[in-house]
Amino acid sequence: MRVGGGMRGPRDARGSAHDGSDRIDRDGGGRSAKRVPLGSEPMTASVSARANVRWVLTAQGGRLAVQFVSIAVLSRLLSPADYGLMAMATVVTNFAMLFRDMGTSTALIQMDRPSAALLDAVFSFNIVFGAVIAAAVALCAPLAAWAFSAESLTGLLVALSLTFPVAAASAAPLALLEREGKFRAVAWIEISSGALGLTGGIAGARAGLGAYSLAMQAVMTAALTALQVWGLSRWRPRLRWAPRELRPIWPFSSNLVAFNLVNYFVRNADTALVGRFFDAHSLGWYSVANRLLLFPLQNLTYVASRALLPVYSRRQNEKQEIGSLYLRTLAVIAAISAPMMFGLWALREPFVATLLGPKWSPVADILQWFAPTGFLQSIGATSGTVLSAVGRTDVLRKIGIANTAVLICAFIVGMQFGLLGLVEAYFMATCVLTLAIMHVVLGHVGCNLGALVRRVQAPVACAAAMAVLLACVNAALVGLVSQPVRLIVLVPIGALFYLLLLSIFARGIVREFLSLGGIPERRPAAGAAELTAGATPQQGRGSRSP
């Protein structure tokens, strides 16, 4: 069943005909105030895809900056053992995060018109379930400490368990803010909370709290985020336990959680197999290469998925509109990830030698296959956003199961030929899976693989030409200049050459980049104007892609 799809008019989640916004807020004196619209703020203004992407990029950049400062400062105040203990705790907390809100936040963003009763029920469910997860993490802490042979892990996990009820309390209002496209405010909330949380972590480290200072940072960041989210949101829920209100979104959210669960295991299956059947050196080489593979997935596709889910969801009944915007999104992703991954492929040897050192030279051989794998996965990674927006998380769950089965079989077969055999099998399986998954996903928004190829062929061809140039020049310079010098010289040359080709053969994508940076276009091209969600016919006239 498609959650929120097909609803018309002011109907609540059960399909009853009354106005869903029947909550009445009370002011400080208990007097009746104005009614609160559904979702805290009605979707009357246009939700700009470009503005969403711009502000989610800002938030992601802010988080990366906070992480960099955190490592630079706290690494001087804490010991490697403290970070090791936190890494052990993260194994437990990352798994628990899969069940944090059971997919209810995504369901609220996706729904056409969530009722006030449903919003109250989701809030109450999140509060209860957040407390349950916190209790489970705390109760499992001694077991985790025994498994890792680290007694100190117990107290650290108990401290980190506090983040779950705190984050659960703000999950629903944060989802409503994203639903309304208020990513600018959300970005500053996340950046400021992260910076203030880091301040608390530094204070704890200077006070000699060790690994607990990292837990303090996490708890403070979650608490400050929740406080600011509630300060911004005008929606005020009633705490009431009504499981029947959750029935309309349960198929959607349960399928989403199932997909995240199987995706979590397949993301860790290759590392587990390498660690089990190869030596520690092989695992180290593979892990570092895998981080480089995941970088565009964890940042670029995260930005696109988070920013565009509300836009797609507001047009869930207009499949051609979603399809047009989705193809443009994939073209932009390809224009960023293709030069990154193809350039890494061409300069893998000087890159590894310069950044990691000679003892990491086998990583270059792994990157020969991981670089194109990373590009393919950056294209397919946003498919879950589209399927969620159109309410087809059941298809997403099936894709996750099939993806897991194919990849694990590829890992098992490939490892028979050594570590590089596993990597090569990973690449070949990714080629097949990307074609199959994109065929299914594009079919749900009225598109096909041919349309995708036409959209991405220009940036991919430009990136391939750049990679050939870099590979040839790099080979010619071997023995003449050192590897660090080759890397420093060739990276800007490759970037300039790629941008030159892009400006000649893919001007539409260049305009998209300029608009993301807030630079106005002098002569808007037909079909290149911004797609918006929630606009009236008069508002959207002249701004839709064909």
Side-chain angles (χ1 to χ4, degrees):
M1 182 180 70
R2 188 171 61 189
V3 179
M7 291 187 181
R8 296 290 185 272
R11 293 182 178 271
D12 67 9
R14 296 191 303 272
S16 56
H18 67 77
D19 182 358
S21 56
D22 53 0
R23 282 193 62 254
I24 299 179
D25 268 5
R26 302 279 177 180
D27 60 17
R31 296 182 297 274
S32 296
K34 63 179 182 180
R35 293 180 182 272
V36 178
L38 284 178
S40 171
E41 187 73 24
M43 186 69 74
T44 55
S46 298
V47 177
S48 168
R50 289 171 179 164
N52 287 3
V53 171
R54 187 182 305 132
W55 287 110
V56 176
L57 270 173
T58 301
Q60 186 69 356
R63 278 194 295 270
L64 290 175
V66 169
Q67 290 176 13
F68 178 80
V69 174
S70 175
I71 293 174
V73 176
L74 291 178
S75 62
R76 290 169 168 77
L77 300 174
L78 301 176
S79 68
D82 294 327
Y83 276 98
L85 196 65
M86 188 65 178
M88 298 177 192
T90 303
V91 173
V92 179
T93 56
N94 280 352
F95 182 76
M97 286 284 287
L98 297 174
F99 308 95
R100 181 178 59 181
D101 65 356
M102 292 299 290
T104 56
S105 295
T106 304
L108 291 182
I109 296 173
Q110 187 273 341
M111 285 193 73
D112 185 36
R113 191 176 176 83
S115 68
L118 174 62
L119 295 177
D120 291 343
V122 167
F123 173 76
S124 302
F125 172 82
N126 287 343
I127 291 293
V128 173
F129 204 71
V132 170
I133 294 179
V137 170
L139 291 174
C140 292
L143 180 61
W146 171 81
F148 285 103
S149 300
E151 294 183 3
S152 302
L153 186 59
T154 301
L156 186 62
L157 279 173
V158 171
L160 287 171
S161 68
L162 298 176
T163 60
F164 290 97
V166 173
S170 62
L174 180 59
L176 294 178
L177 291 176
E178 294 188 11
R179 172 186 170 86
E180 297 158 10
K182 295 183 178 179
F183 283 98
R184 178 176 181 175
V186 171
W188 292 118
I189 286 175
E190 293 182 349
I191 293 173
S192 61
S193 297
L196 291 173
L198 173 59
T199 302
I202 294 174
R206 293 179 64 87
L209 297 181
Y212 284 90
S213 61
L214 298 174
M216 176 185 296
Q217 178 183 352
V219 173
M220 283 187 61
T221 300
L224 290 169
T225 299
L227 288 174
Q228 292 190 79
V229 165
W230 279 112
L232 180 64
S233 174
R234 290 191 290 173
W235 170 65
R236 292 296 179 264
R238 288 185 293 182
L239 189 61
R240 56 181 179 180
W241 183 251
R244 64 180 182 179
E245 297 289 347
L246 300 175
R247 290 175 186 171
I249 67 171
W250 177 246
F252 178 98
S253 59
S254 61
N255 283 320
L256 187 61
V257 171
F259 167 78
N260 289 334
L261 189 60
V262 296
N263 196 50
Y264 173 86
F265 281 112
V266 76
R267 284 291 177 198
N268 293 277
D270 53 346
T271 302
L273 288 172
V274 173
R276 173 66 178 82
F277 294 101
F278 296 93
D279 56 27
H281 286 87
S282 297
L283 179 59
W285 297 328
Y286 186 89
S287 298
V288 170
N290 198 39
R291 290 183 182 180
L292 296 173
L293 164 71
L294 293 177
F295 182 82
L297 300 180
Q298 293 177 336
N299 292 279
L300 180 62
T301 57
Y302 164 81
V303 169
S305 298
R306 185 180 183 187
L308 294 176
L309 178 60
V311 179
Y312 292 158
S313 297
R314 300 291 70 76
R315 293 183 175 271
Q316 59 186 271
N317 295 318
E318 302 174 23
K319 302 298 177 62
Q320 290 185 344
E321 295 282 4
I322 295 179
S324 176
L325 179 55
Y326 184 46
L327 289 175
R328 287 170 51 204
T329 302
L330 292 176
V332 172
I333 290 175
I336 298 174
S337 63
M340 287 175 58
M341 294 293 99
F342 291 10
L344 181 61
W345 177 86
L347 301 177
R348 60 190 182 277
E349 293 179 354
F351 177 85
V352 171
T354 302
L355 269 67
L356 303 178
K359 64 182 179 181
W360 294 92
S361 58
V363 173
D365 296 327
I366 299 175
L367 290 176
Q368 181 179 2
W369 297 99
F370 263 6
T373 301
F375 167 70
L376 291 173
Q377 291 193 357
S378 70
I379 296 296
T382 54
S383 57
T385 303
V386 175
L387 292 175
S388 296
V390 298
R392 296 309 305 269
T393 53
D394 57 325
V395 176
L396 185 61
R397 170 178 53 82
K398 295 174 183 177
I399 286 177
I401 294 173
N403 184 67
T404 300
V406 171
L407 284 178
I408 290 180
C409 289
F411 295 153
I412 294 174
V413 172
M415 64 187 294
Q416 308 304 316
F417 302 92
L419 181 61
L420 286 181
L422 183 148
V423 175
E424 293 172 15
Y426 193 175
F427 167 71
M428 289 184 285
T430 301
C431 290
V432 175
L433 287 169
T434 301
L435 289 174
I437 291 172
M438 296 311 298
H439 172 72
V440 173
V441 174
L442 290 171
H444 281 85
V445 290
C447 300
N448 53 47
L449 289 174
L452 172 61
V453 171
R454 288 190 293 273
R455 283 285 187 169
V456 303
Q457 62 184 0
V460 171
C462 294
M466 177 204 71
V468 171
L469 173 67
L470 292 179
C472 292
V473 177
N474 179 57
L477 294 178
V478 172
L480 299 178
V481 295
S482 65
Q483 290 182 325
V485 172
R486 290 186 347 234
L487 186 67
I488 293 173
V489 171
L490 291 179
V491 167
I493 290 177
L496 291 174
F497 183 67
Y498 173 74
L499 291 175
L500 176 62
L501 292 178
L502 205 66
S503 63
I504 296 173
F505 298 105
R507 295 181 180 179
I509 293 178
V510 174
R511 285 194 293 267
E512 293 286 354
F513 285 138
L514 293 176
S515 65
L516 287 177
I519 302 175
E521 303 172 19
R522 293 183 179 180
R523 296 174 59 188
E530 179 176 34
L531 277 175
T532 57
T536 64
Q538 291 76 15
Q539 291 169 327
R541 185 174 300 158
S543 64
R544 293 185 180 180
S545 295

